Amino acid sequence: MKRVDDFRLRFGNNEYVPIMVGGMGVDISTSELALETARLGGIGHISDAMVEDVSDRRFDTSFVKDKTKLYKFNINNSDKSVVQFDLERLAEAQRLHIGKTMEAKQGPGLIFVNCMEKLTMNGPRETLRTRLNAALDAGIDGITLSAGLHFGSFALMADHPRFREAKLGIIVSSVRALQIFLRKNAKLDRLPDFIIVEGPLAGGHLGFGMDWADYDLMTITKELLAYLKTENLDIPLIAAGGIFTGSDAVSFLEAGAAGVQVATRFTITNECGLPAKVKQEYIRATEDDIIVNGVSPTGYPMRMLKSTPAIGAGIRPGCESYGYLLDATGNCAYINSYNREVAAHPELKVVSVMDKTCLCTHMRNFNCWTCGHYTYRLKDTTHKKADGEYQLLTAEHVFKDYQFSVDNQIALPEKEG
């Protein structure tokens, strides 16, 4: 019976363990997690979601404080169009976060950064251009374009000297999405170096509607593999979403995928950026605790724990400090919902907003508990301790379990004394 270790993900003449750890923001996929993945020969992701806040926490910079001070006059104004990111400071934060990670890299693997198109930042094109090019400046091994269609994203990097050197990939959930992306970028004569096909059981934002349960990752993977073969495109395809064991991974590798992307099982590792108490919430979750809802201002369905504090919260929009989901005109669906509830309930000091949530503030405070479909199985991967808490794992343990396990087995860690 084959193991994941019997396969290799190839980029040119280089081979890697075909395990990619997904990019979870805000700083849930930490530098430490990505570095450990690369050390073990796989591909780790960091995320550039709210990178200025991440920089402030990690490197004692003051990007958020300074932005808040600059736009303090606008806090009580419902019109957020004036709130803009300083592109030079955004680039500085990006280069600092990514550059420090790359400086610390050891081992044969790679480190990629996950860049979401839906971080529109009141300047969708300009801010994305800055983020992408600063990532290349900082020496990132590769960029994964996520949370959006990214039809123009390659063009934003086309003049960078590393445009054809770095590994550039796209996340899609259908053949049609890939076809449109390739057609839109054909004039650049630059194919993606990899394609991640993300199925409906993934964590966080989904590339499907509320009919997500009608789709299946294996079916979509095979459709994409057939399309690539028909078009004579030799592009590695990475399967993602709901791959919980090494045997799950092998089934996709045997079907023709070049690798798998996994994330859920790494949320309860020491290297993951979630607070310890939130990791315990993930482990305790039952299948009934996991829901898909429409509270994200992005318009995408999102999978999370139904006990997540972000659901129904009514905090004032923090766009002057953050503002990562403001569109090109300074609008955000959460602002509209918040203002509606304030107008409807003027007597309340704190309102409840059920239909949308302020992702910036809640993700920054680890109060938006997005998760994968199989999060309820995490308790089967570790030990329950005498005090009722669950033992956390190391990223190395989880990585190697994926790499070497067979028969759908999950290796439990050595029990802590």
Side-chain angles (χ1 to χ4, degrees):
M1 183 167 288
K2 288 190 174 182
R3 307 171 301 175
V4 169
D5 195 54
D6 294 320
F7 300 83
R8 285 295 179 269
L9 169 59
R10 295 178 175 84
F11 286 132
N13 296 322
N14 298 317
E15 295 186 346
Y16 306 93
V17 179
I19 298 172
M20 184 181 280
V21 178
M24 301 173 282
V26 172
D27 208 26
I28 296 173
S29 288
T30 60
S31 295
E32 291 78 13
L33 180 54
L35 288 166
E36 189 68 352
T37 304
R39 182 185 71 82
L40 294 166
I43 300 173
H45 273 94
I46 55 176
S47 168
D48 78 339
M50 298 185 71
V51 68
E52 292 191 353
D53 184 75
V54 173
S55 174
D56 288 352
R57 292 201 227 189
R58 286 184 167 265
F59 310 115
D60 200 29
T61 51
S62 59
F63 295 116
V64 175
K65 179 181 177 181
D66 295 345
K67 183 170 179 278
T68 306
K69 184 177 180 180
L70 180 63
Y71 292 110
K72 185 178 179 180
F73 71 90
N74 198 66
I75 286 176
N76 292 320
N77 190 351
S78 60
D79 181 357
K80 305 298 183 182
S81 58
V82 69
V83 180
Q84 301 284 333
F85 279 82
D86 182 317
L87 296 183
E88 290 186 8
R89 302 207 82 191
L90 175 62
E92 182 184 351
Q94 187 86 321
R95 286 192 289 263
L96 188 58
H97 177 44
I98 294 173
K100 290 293 186 183
T101 304
M102 298 308 295
E103 287 174 13
K105 182 184 144 185
Q106 298 178 345
L110 299 173
I111 294 179
F112 292 175
V113 62
N114 182 285
C115 291
M116 295 187 284
E117 186 187 43
K118 285 300 181 182
L119 295 183
T120 41
M121 303 167 69
N122 208 352
R125 185 178 178 85
E126 296 79 7
T127 54
L128 183 57
R129 183 198 303 274
T130 297
R131 291 158 54 207
L132 294 172
N133 285 280
L136 294 174
D137 290 343
I140 196 70
D141 290 322
I143 298 175
T144 297
L145 303 173
S146 68
L149 298 174
H150 286 281
F151 294 151
S153 297
F154 269 26
L156 299 179
M157 299 179 276
D159 293 333
H160 197 283
R162 297 191 63 227
F163 176 58
R164 298 182 187 277
E165 170 200 330
K167 305 302 178 189
L168 305 179
I170 179 78
I171 296 181
V172 299
S173 294
S174 68
V175 170
R176 176 169 170 74
L178 177 61
Q179 288 174 325
I180 297 173
F181 175 83
L182 293 176
R183 185 170 70 248
K184 294 285 186 179
N185 288 279
K187 63 182 180 181
L188 294 175
D189 192 29
R190 174 42 163 116
L191 291 171
D193 297 290
F194 62 97
I195 299 161
I196 297 174
V197 50
E198 190 170 85
L201 303 185
H205 289 106
L206 306 180
F208 301 86
M210 292 305 289
D211 61 346
W212 60 269
D214 296 337
Y215 297 88
D216 170 72
L217 176 60
M218 182 61 80
T219 299
I220 303 169
T221 298
K222 289 180 177 178
E223 290 171 351
L224 277 159
L225 286 168
Y227 170 75
L228 292 173
K229 183 177 181 180
T230 299
E231 298 296 317
N232 293 314
L233 295 173
D234 185 19
I235 305 173
L237 187 68
I238 315 294
I243 300 171
F244 200 78
T245 69
S247 297
D248 292 338
V250 167
S251 68
F252 286 94
L253 295 169
E254 288 184 326
V260 295
Q261 178 171 280
V262 292
T264 294
R265 287 184 60 189
F266 288 89
T267 59
I268 62 167
T269 62
N270 296 322
E271 292 85 354
C272 174
L274 288 171
K277 66 178 183 179
V278 180
K279 293 175 185 177
Q280 295 296 324
E281 294 285 344
Y282 277 53
I283 301 173
R284 292 190 189 101
T286 67
E287 187 170 1
D288 290 338
D289 291 328
I290 298 164
I291 59 173
V292 175
N293 59 31
V295 301
S296 171
T298 65
Y300 282 95
M302 190 162 60
R303 178 173 281 114
M304 61 177 64
L305 298 184
K306 67 181 180 182
S307 58
T308 182
I311 300 175
I315 59 171
R316 183 168 60 183
C319 308
E320 285 68 33
S321 299
Y322 307 123
Y324 285 84
L325 293 181
L326 294 175
D327 67 16
T329 61
N331 289 308
C332 170
Y334 175 71
I335 296 176
N336 298 332
S337 294
Y338 175 82
N339 289 336
R340 180 198 67 221
E341 293 302 319
V342 169
H345 305 282
E347 75 284 0
L348 297 180
K349 290 185 178 181
V350 179
V351 297
S352 176
V353 184
M354 294 302 300
D355 58 319
K356 295 298 173 187
T357 195
C358 182
L359 277 190
C360 293
T361 303
H362 288 303
M363 292 297 292
R364 185 261 179 219
N365 292 330
F366 300 106
N367 282 330
C368 189
W369 299 343
T370 59
C371 65
H373 176 78
Y374 288 121
T375 294
Y376 67 89
R377 296 176 62 184
L378 287 174
K379 60 179 64 68
D380 300 326
T381 70
T382 188
H383 301 289
K384 190 173 186 178
K385 299 188 291 185
D387 62 2
E389 298 282 285
Y390 286 85
Q391 182 177 326
L392 299 182
L393 309 174
T394 67
E396 180 177 11
H397 170 83
V398 177
F399 187 96
K400 287 187 174 179
D401 186 45
Y402 270 112
Q403 187 176 1
F404 296 111
S405 67
V406 294
D407 292 330
N408 282 302
Q409 295 177 355
I410 293 174
L412 295 177
E414 184 177 343
K415 202 164 188 177
E416 293 177 351

